[in-house]
């Protein structure tokens, strides 16, 4: 029996892959906009419990080639413990080609390049990373527990170790009063961070975190509508002219009003034209009932 502790989250691109729940919850769990793990107390799974969980998962899917380590903070585990997990997966899944996990800024800050290189060599080669915003004041408001310089340093370490990073930015996070600060700070960070993938999603606040999030803003937070969000997207892509390496860009998360896909900076003009078409009403937006809002 697969012993998962709900709620269980994974990136959209991991939907067809085996999920191993190496930790329960998130060790930080204080981001004001995020409700994903508020119902859980963080704990690493002890080895006997985790081994039984992996054995059941492997028995259910012995031909799995890709594994996602859940929950929100598997990378917080000591490097030797992660290597033990990765070695077990490689031994018992002969077709294994890739392991991935979420990564908090603190995870990359605490691990050395050498540690990350060891994990990468053991097939942990893809990290999902929430940038959210590059604006220092907004990072404080949302209690991200990170600074732009700290995130850039960590992301550079992951790149040096040969890891790919898929990062997300939350459109609408600054509201109507801080949207330019949000986008401009984010662009500045992205121009310094060596990412492989970049995606955007639109801010959506669950009731359990809404009041806490809103309390961080004075003057009061004014939510961005879809048109304002598209202007944020346009400003982001228009200014992102010189990333450290080619970016595979997506805005296909269910929250987005407009799905976009391309490579940056190569497809910059095409993506801007698609946003312009949506702003002028010549291209339809995704209906709210299809967006999990």
């Amino acid at each position: 029996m697969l012993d998962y502790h709900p709620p269980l989250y994974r990136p959209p691109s991991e939907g067809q892959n085996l999920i191993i729940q190496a930790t329960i919850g998130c060790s930080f769990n204080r981001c004001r906009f995020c409700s994903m793990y508020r119902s859980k107390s963080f704990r690493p799974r002890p080895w006997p419990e985790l081994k039984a969980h992996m054995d059941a998962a492997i028995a259910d899917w012995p031909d799995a080639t890709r594994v996602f380590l859940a929950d929100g903070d598997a990378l917080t585990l000591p490097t030797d413990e992660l290597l033990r997990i990765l070695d077990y997966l490689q031994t018992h899944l002969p077709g294994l080609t890739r392991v991935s996990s979420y990564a908090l800024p603190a995870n990359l800050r605490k691990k050395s390049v050498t540690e990350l290189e060891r994990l990468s060599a053991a097939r942990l080669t893809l990290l999902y990373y929430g940038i959210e915003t590059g604006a220092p004041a907004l990072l404080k408001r949302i209690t991200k527990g990170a600074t732009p310089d700290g995130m850039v340093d960590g992301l550079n370490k992951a790149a040096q170790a040969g890891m790919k990073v898929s990062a997300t930015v939350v459109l609408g996070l600054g509201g109507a009063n801080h949207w330019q600060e949000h986008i401009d700070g984010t662009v500045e960070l992205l121009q310094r961070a060596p990412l492989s993938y970049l995606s955007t999603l639109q801010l959506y606040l669950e009731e359990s975190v809404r009041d806490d999030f809103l309390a961080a803003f004075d003057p009061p937070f004014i939510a961005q509508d879809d048109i304002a969000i598209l202007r944020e997207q346009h400003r982001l892509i228009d200014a992102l002219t010189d990333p450290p390496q080619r970016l595979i860009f997506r805005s296909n998360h269910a929250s987005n009003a407009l799905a976009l896909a391309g490579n940056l900076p190569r497809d910059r003009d095409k993506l801007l034209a698609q946003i312009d078409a949506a702003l002028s009403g010549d291209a339809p937006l995704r209906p709210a009932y299809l967006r999990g809002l």
Side-chain angles (χ1 to χ4, degrees), residues 15-16 34 59 90 101 129 160 179 184 186 212 241 247 249 256 261 290:
Q16 302 301 315
C34 179
Q90 289 181 71
S101 76
Y129 187 98
Q160 290 174 45
W179 76 272
D184 293 349
T186 300
D212 185 45
T241 57
L247 273 174
F249 175 79
N256 286 286
L290 294 177

Side-chain angles (χ1 to χ4, degrees), residues 66-173:
R66 293 184 173 185
V67 170
F68 175 72
L69 296 180
D71 263 337
D73 201 8
L75 201 63
T76 196
L77 293 172
T79 298
D80 286 345
E81 182 68 13
L82 282 167
L83 289 170
R84 185 184 191 185
I85 296 168
L86 295 169
D87 180 68
Y88 196 85
L89 292 172
Q90 289 181 71
T91 300
H92 294 84
L93 291 172
L96 184 67
T97 61
R98 188 189 81 190
V99 181
S100 58
S101 76
Y102 288 126
L104 301 185
N107 301 149
L108 297 184
R109 186 176 67 247
K110 293 175 181 177
K111 292 199 186 304
S112 67
V113 173
T114 299
E115 288 178 289
L116 295 173
E117 286 175 337
R118 293 175 66 197
L119 294 172
S120 180
R123 295 198 175 94
L124 179 55
T125 55
L126 176 62
L127 304 177
Y128 295 93
Y129 187 98
I131 288 174
E132 331 306 2
T133 180
L138 284 176
L139 286 169
K140 290 180 180 179
R141 287 181 187 274
I142 66 173
T143 320
K144 180 64 183 176
T147 65
D149 286 344
M151 286 196 279
V152 170
D153 288 346
L155 292 167
N156 272 295
K157 286 200 290 185
Q160 290 174 45
M163 292 175 155
K164 294 182 177 180
V165 176
S166 178
T168 55
V169 169
V170 181
L171 300 176
L173 195 62

Side-chain angles (χ1 to χ4, degrees), residues 213-229:
F213 179 87
L214 296 178
F217 289 84
D218 184 18
F221 182 85
I222 302 173
Q224 297 277 70
D225 62 16
D226 285 342
I227 297 301
I229 291 288

